[in-house]
Amino acid sequence: MKVVHSPLHARHDGGKELHRGELVPCFEMPSRADFILQALRREGFAVGGPREFPLESLLRVHDAGFVEFLRTAHAEWRAVGKEGFMLPSGFPARSLRRDHIPAGINGKMGYYAFDASTPIVEGTWDAALAAAHCALTAAAHVVEGERGAYALCRPPGHHAGHAVYGGYCFLNNAALAAQYLRDHGKKRVAVLDVDYHHGNGTQDIFWERSDVLFVSIHGTPETEYPYFLGYADERGAGEGEGYTRNFPLPRGTAWAEYVTALDAALDTVGGFAPDALVVSLGVDTYEGDPISAFKLETRHYPLMGERLARLGIPTVFVQEGGYAVEDLGSNVAGVLKGFLARG
């Protein structure tokens, strides 16, 4: 399996996040990618860099004004005399206008963000663009005939919507991979999100489409981030009605309960009969994860990979969450090894 990675991920580093009411150092840190890379190299995976893609590739799933904001945000921040990391201080919530984008950087930041857990620093755009290119490159490998490919994306992407960022995510890497597959001959594509947190951004992007199925297994939004999407009754709209499926699970879910939801999700994917699959691979379902509350163990991740392989569908793996950094690489490698073991 080809692994795609860019060292530019390290340019997104620094700042703090507002986590459950406290300002703390970011859980999403450069060492996440480093631990994964080390583990994959120990297991003998070949690692290559991403290809370059035109900026227009991003516009297949993202709003042009949003992309331009991300590209220029930190320069605008510096232009008004600010330094360091950027966090928004106001949002267009209920009763406030959402039809006008403020001219000032503070207003624009709040307009495009949906939380204060996703700081922008000087190198954020470079890292986010490189992550997008990793996902697109992995999708290209699958289009070119690979059974599977893995994009070591950092920052992650599944919380980023058509025109919104948050949850450590700026560009939606999984959605970009899925769209690339669609644009290059795969008529039906499924996205399976196994991150602990609901992939609200991916759901947003494909909400009204029937050519891309979105399925997510995650912690219930009754208590878990992002709180306001991910309920079981969300099933898409218009042409996309029935092409979104959510499997929310309670805090404390262990493998015995999780695998039941996983098998139901895989049955849903199989019933769609996709030509390709994108897996949003978050391993923050791990029992040691500092910001999540499932109880999966390292020994369960190869079992997940084996189940994914049973579908017999060309698969792009896109890295999402996972914050127990010392065990992160072993858990990611476990999924990929399990997938390959099924032959």
Side-chain angles (χ1 to χ4, degrees), residues 66 75 97 123 126 129 139 141 150 220 233 270 276 322:
F66 170 64
R97 289 186 63 172
D126 292 339
L129 183 61
H141 287 320
Y150 168 69
T220 174
D233 64 351

Side-chain angles (χ1 to χ4, degrees), residues 89-128:
S89 55
F91 305 91
R94 291 182 299 276
S95 81
L96 301 179
R97 289 186 63 172
R98 304 182 189 185
D99 63 334
H100 179 74
I101 305 173
I105 185 58
N106 290 288
K108 278 197 284 191
M109 194 179 354
Y111 180 86
Y112 284 119
F114 69 87
D115 68 17
S117 69
T118 312
I120 294 175
V121 300
E122 185 174 5
T124 295
W125 171 252
D126 292 339

Side-chain angles (χ1 to χ4, degrees), residues 244-293:
T244 290
R245 290 291 305 277
N246 286 303
F247 295 84
L249 299 171
R251 295 174 67 87
T253 292
W255 177 251
E257 298 79 25
Y258 184 89
V259 75
T260 300
L262 176 61
D263 286 344
L266 293 173
D267 286 344
T268 301
V269 171
F272 180 64
D275 301 301
L277 172 66
V278 176
V279 176
S280 272
L281 183 58
V283 292
D284 43 2
T285 49
Y286 177 56
E287 61 182 351
D289 197 273
I291 63 173
S292 306

